[in-house]
Amino acid sequence: MNNKYYTVCGIVEIEGKILLVRHTYGSAKDRVLLPGGFVQENELPTDAAEREILEETGVCSKVKSVFATQFKPNQWCIVFVMEYVSGIPKSDGYENNEVLLLPIEEAVSRSDITNMSREVLSAYMTHRSELTRSSYVPASSNEKEYVIFGI
């Protein structure tokens, strides 16, 4: 079950270029943005980011760190920095109709990029700090059900 309240997106660099998608629906229709989507019921946000990027772009990536979080009264979004693993970027032909690999400077200067993606990538260019993923897992849990960043 999807929801519209808990979302994720990821910054994926491939050979020095940023992975972006052109959205086909909603308020971001026809605009370029970071790939991502909704967190499914009983899914960790980290797993959702990896799944969504793979589904939307054909790119396998792994979460490295938390870069930013966005909060609204009825929604949150976690922006992850992702490690590219494999795959050739291609559109899913459904949620997006184009996948782009752009130098970050070009991406942030586009008139068709969403405001949030522009702000996130502008900050990413200046190498602001990230909260890295910890290997800590409490004894009461396991690595499939627990993740913490920043410690």
Side-chain angles (χ1 to χ4, degrees), residues 44-69:
L44 287 173
T46 49
D47 294 336
E50 293 169 3
R51 175 186 53 75
E52 283 285 350
I53 290 169
L54 180 61
E55 288 174 1
E56 289 187 7
T57 70
V59 168
C60 180
S61 59
K62 295 290 178 193
V63 168
K64 286 189 345 182
S65 59
V66 173
F67 187 72
T69 55

Side-chain angles (χ1 to χ4, degrees), residues 9-146:
C9 63
I11 301 168
V12 182
E13 277 192 69
I14 302 173
E15 297 178 2
K17 296 182 178 178
I18 301 295
L19 183 68
L20 299 160
V21 296
R22 184 175 307 281
H23 225 204
T24 59
Y25 65 93
S27 62
K29 183 176 182 180
D30 298 326
R31 303 208 49 212
V32 173
L33 67 157
L34 294 167
F38 301 120
V39 178
Q40 296 177 352
E41 187 174 355
N42 297 318
E43 182 179 42
L44 287 173
T46 49
D47 294 336
E50 293 169 3
R51 175 186 53 75
E52 283 285 350
I53 290 169
L54 180 61
E55 288 174 1
E56 289 187 7
T57 70
V59 168
C60 180
S61 59
K62 295 290 178 193
V63 168
K64 286 189 345 182
S65 59
V66 173
F67 187 72
T69 55
Q70 171 198 356
F71 296 105
K72 296 179 181 177
N74 60 349
Q75 182 192 42
W76 56 251
C77 180
I78 301 173
V79 181
F80 293 104
V81 174
M82 311 294 289
E83 177 182 356
Y84 170 74
V85 176
S86 64
I88 298 170
K90 64 182 186 300
S91 170
D92 69 1
Y94 175 66
E95 291 187 44
N96 67 72
N97 57 17
E98 183 180 13
V99 172
L100 302 93
L101 274 176
L102 300 173
I104 195 166
E105 296 84 1
E106 181 181 337
V108 299
S109 68
R110 293 179 68 102
S111 62
D112 61 348
I113 192 168
T114 62
N115 293 332
M116 181 180 164
S117 293
R118 178 180 290 109
E119 289 300 313
V120 166
L121 291 176
S122 293
Y124 185 71
M125 275 195 311
T126 64
H127 302 290
R128 293 186 186 169
S129 63
E130 306 167 24
L131 297 176
T132 57
R133 187 175 189 158
S134 173
S135 60
Y136 169 75
V137 177
S140 61
S141 192
N142 66 64
E143 61 189 27
K144 297 266 186 212
E145 298 174 340
Y146 183 91

